[in-house]
């Protein structure tokens, strides 16, 4: 059951990451997602293209591939899911602290998904060690 919960969370994260990443890469102004370049801090002189590429790969493609790996029981996939969870939490912190983006609902949801993935990986690794 935990395996399928992990896969479902990864698919949800991946779907959102693919949607947002494609939107930001194809429209670097952010207008597609209701964003504006003016929302970025003064030192941030470029657009959303690189952030979109990061989201597309790290929070879109990687979770989808990892979800497939979790479903077919690839060795280490649940640990990689935990690493993706850490990346999601790190991206949330980066948005808040560095980019000064104020989107609490999205940030809380992303951090919660990251926490679920990290806790799932910790639980999985703990169970494996206790059985060994």
């Amino acid at each position: 059951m935990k395996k399928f919960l992990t896969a479902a969370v990864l698919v949800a994260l991946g779907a959102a990451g693919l949607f947002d990443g494609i939107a930001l890469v194809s429209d670097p102004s952010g207008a597609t997602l209701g964003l504006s370049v003016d929302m970025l801090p003064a030192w941030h002189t470029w657009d959303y293209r690189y952030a979109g590429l990061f989201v597309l790969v790290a929070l879109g493609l990687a979770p989808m591939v990892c979800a497939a790996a979790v479903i077919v029981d690839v060795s280490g996939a649940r640990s990689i899911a935990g690493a993706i969870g850490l990346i999601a939490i790190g991206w949330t912190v980066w948005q808040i602290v560095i980019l000064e983006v104020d989107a609490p609902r999205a940030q809380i949801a992303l951090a919660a998904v990251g926490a679920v993935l990290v806790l799932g990986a910790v639980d999985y690794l703990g169970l494996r060690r206790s059985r060994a």
Side-chain angles (χ1 to χ4, degrees):
M1 182 66 178
K2 290 180 184 180
K3 173 174 90 167
F4 293 109
L5 176 62
T6 300
V9 170
L10 285 165
V11 167
L13 175 62
L18 288 172
F19 176 81
D20 292 345
I22 290 170
L24 291 172
V25 169
S26 65
D27 179 14
S29 72
T32 304
L33 296 178
L35 303 172
S36 166
V37 176
D38 297 333
M39 296 170 69
L40 295 169
W43 61 266
H44 194 292
T45 58
W46 56 89
D47 55 25
Y48 289 102
R49 181 172 291 126
Y50 296 112
L53 189 58
F54 173 80
V55 170
L56 178 63
V57 173
L59 300 176
L61 295 174
M64 290 299 212
V65 170
C66 189
V70 166
I71 290 170
V72 297
D73 288 325
V74 171
S75 177
R78 303 264 300 266
S79 298
I80 292 171
I84 291 171
L86 287 174
I87 291 169
I89 293 168
W91 179 242
T92 302
V93 171
W94 179 266
Q95 287 178 355
I96 294 168
V97 175
I98 305 298
L99 295 180
E100 301 171 3
V101 172
D102 184 31
R105 286 184 289 183
Q107 291 161 339
I108 289 169
L110 185 57
V113 165
V116 166
L117 292 173
V118 169
L119 292 173
V122 168
D123 179 53
Y124 175 72
L125 292 173
L127 287 175
R128 286 188 62 191
R129 285 193 185 126
S130 68
R131 290 180 187 161

